[in-house]
Amino acid sequence: MLLKYYRSIGPGSILLVILTGVLLWMYQFISPAQLTAYYSENAMPLFLFIDSVLGDNAFARSVSGFILVLIIAFYLSNFNTRLFFITERTLLPSSVYVILSGFFINLQTFNPVLPATLLLIIAIDRVIGSYRKPGIAYNYFDASLLLGLASMFYANILWLFPVIIIAILIIRTLYLREIFLSVFGLITPYLVALAIYYIGGHDLSIIKDRLINNILKGSPAYLWTTADLIAICTGALIIIISLVHLLGRYNAKKIRTRKIFSLLIWMLVFALATFFLVPGASVELFYIVLIPASYLLSHFLVFVRNKKIANIVFAIVCILIVGLQVLRIYNI
């Protein structure tokens, strides 16, 4: 029954998603915590600028982070509505993203991954826009440019650049010029940043040092509790089931739909690989992983034949997040 309200589309459902987000972020609004010093000490240029603007105002940081989560969430549903690859106009991608954003309370603030995640999903949107586009598609330059800008907030998002190259292979006939445009788009923000630093008389090595530190310097270890591990394992199992369910229907999908889901799966693979293999990456990648995960789970909840199973799975997800919130608020 609960799923019905989050699945539908309309003003009431939009309000419900926003209200759910407010409740899940309420603890940070009431008792906002400062962002881990690690992110500020190694801040990339664009994040450093916004970080300095927000200063020590922890409440403003939490509100800014929440607004970004809402923007990303509703963009996900808008993306599906325009391309219709889940083949149902639904707010489920938004609902799932907002609900799962409550998993890590310490990330419920303005952090470098949130603006980077927004730019990433816009970049993927631009990539999909090249489908059946005649001639050279400059969409890949745009997408890579957006990814380069995203790395100016969160450097480790650069490890997802291969997804754009894979998109060229999946979506279109291979044009080497498009690969060149993609590489040039990726480095353009760095060329601009170096020019600005040079004109301003700053040390150009600052950008290089920050980039290297963000990628190679180990991030603070996250202390996983037993409840965290139970929740993350349960969530991973649900996403795996959703993926298997999608693959079972894969050949029946339209060509464009198959290409979109293939791209989302590759995004999930590279995001998880970055988390496990890159020293500077940590749990903040959760916001990026949530993009493909939200679509996979939404597809499962829409198309699973037994609607009781769909309601049970959605209820389990909600109970896990609420349970984690309660345990962390009371330090249990």
Side-chain angles (χ1 to χ4, degrees):
M1 183 63 70
L2 183 65
L3 177 60
K4 174 184 175 182
Y5 298 106
Y6 284 101
R7 177 175 171 173
S8 60
I9 193 165
S13 297
I14 293 173
L15 184 61
L16 178 62
V17 172
I18 296 173
L19 179 61
T20 300
V22 170
L23 292 174
L24 291 175
W25 283 61
M26 184 62 71
Y27 180 72
Q28 281 290 11
F29 294 153
I30 296 174
S31 181
Q34 287 289 351
L35 185 66
T36 304
Y38 167 80
Y39 297 111
S40 298
E41 292 170 358
N42 299 280
M44 293 296 286
L46 287 179
F47 180 72
L48 181 64
F49 171 73
I50 299 180
D51 187 60
S52 63
V53 171
L54 293 174
D56 295 327
N57 192 330
F59 178 74
R61 287 177 176 274
S62 295
V63 172
S64 300
F66 175 64
I67 291 173
L68 275 172
V69 165
L70 286 182
I71 293 172
I72 294 167
F74 287 119
Y75 194 102
L76 294 182
S77 288
N78 176 266
F79 186 39
N80 174 63
T81 300
R82 285 185 288 107
L83 300 179
F84 212 54
F85 53 95
I86 295 182
T87 63
E88 177 176 306
R89 286 180 170 82
T90 174
L91 275 177
L92 263 181
S94 301
S95 303
V96 172
Y97 196 92
V98 168
I99 291 170
L100 292 180
S101 73
F103 192 99
F104 294 105
I105 288 183
N106 59 322
L107 290 180
Q108 290 181 318
T109 183
F110 183 83
N111 62 74
V113 186
L114 285 174
T117 301
L118 177 59
L119 291 169
L120 174 63
I121 188 60
I122 298 173
I124 295 300
D125 195 351
R126 288 295 296 158
V127 164
I128 301 301
S130 69
Y131 180 64
R132 289 187 175 176
K133 192 169 185 177
I136 302 298
Y138 290 92
N139 300 55
Y140 293 98
F141 172 83
D142 299 342
S144 298
L145 179 66
L146 288 166
L147 194 66
L149 284 173
S151 72
M152 286 290 173
F153 287 99
Y154 179 63
N156 283 301
I157 206 168
L158 288 171
W159 296 107
L160 273 75
F161 176 65
V163 175
I164 293 179
I165 303 301
I166 291 171
I168 299 176
L169 302 176
I170 292 176
I171 296 175
R172 296 170 56 80
T173 303
L174 178 62
Y175 287 100
L176 291 178
R177 189 181 298 178
E178 289 177 345
I179 294 179
F180 172 77
L181 286 172
S182 298
V183 173
F184 184 66
L186 185 70
I187 66 174
T188 295
Y190 287 88
L191 297 176
V192 173
L194 288 171
I196 293 173
Y197 270 58
Y198 177 77
I199 294 172
H202 300 289
D203 186 358
L204 298 184
S205 64
I206 292 176
I207 296 177
K208 179 199 69 175
D209 293 340
R210 288 183 180 274
L211 184 61
I212 292 174
N213 286 338
N214 272 272
I215 293 174
L216 298 181
K217 186 178 179 180
S219 60
Y222 182 80
L223 299 177
W224 295 89
T225 65
T226 302
D228 288 337
L229 294 174
I230 292 173
I232 204 73
C233 289
T234 304
L237 179 61
I238 290 173
I239 297 304
I240 291 172
I241 292 172
S242 301
L243 177 59
V244 172
H245 178 267
L246 169 66
L247 295 178
R249 293 170 168 260
Y250 195 74
N251 290 331
K253 301 289 185 183
K254 293 182 178 179
I255 295 175
R256 186 177 68 173
T257 296
R258 294 204 298 265
K259 292 179 184 295
I260 293 173
F261 274 115
S262 294
L263 201 56
L264 290 170
I265 292 170
W266 277 111
M267 184 195 300
L268 180 61
V269 169
F270 275 91
L272 291 175
T274 301
F275 172 74
F276 287 110
L277 300 177
V278 178
S282 188
V283 293
E284 71 276 351
L285 274 164
F286 183 72
Y287 284 116
I288 296 175
V289 171
L290 279 189
I291 294 176
S294 295
Y295 284 127
L296 290 173
L297 181 54
S298 297
H299 179 274
F300 174 79
L301 295 175
V302 168
F303 289 104
V304 66
R305 291 181 181 178
N306 191 329
K307 298 307 175 186
K308 287 184 179 179
I309 293 178
N311 280 283
I312 291 172
V313 169
F314 188 73
I316 289 173
V317 171
C318 293
I319 291 170
L320 284 174
I321 299 301
V322 172
L324 285 175
Q325 289 270 330
V326 173
L327 289 174
R328 285 172 181 149
I329 289 172
Y330 291 99
N331 294 317
I332 300 175

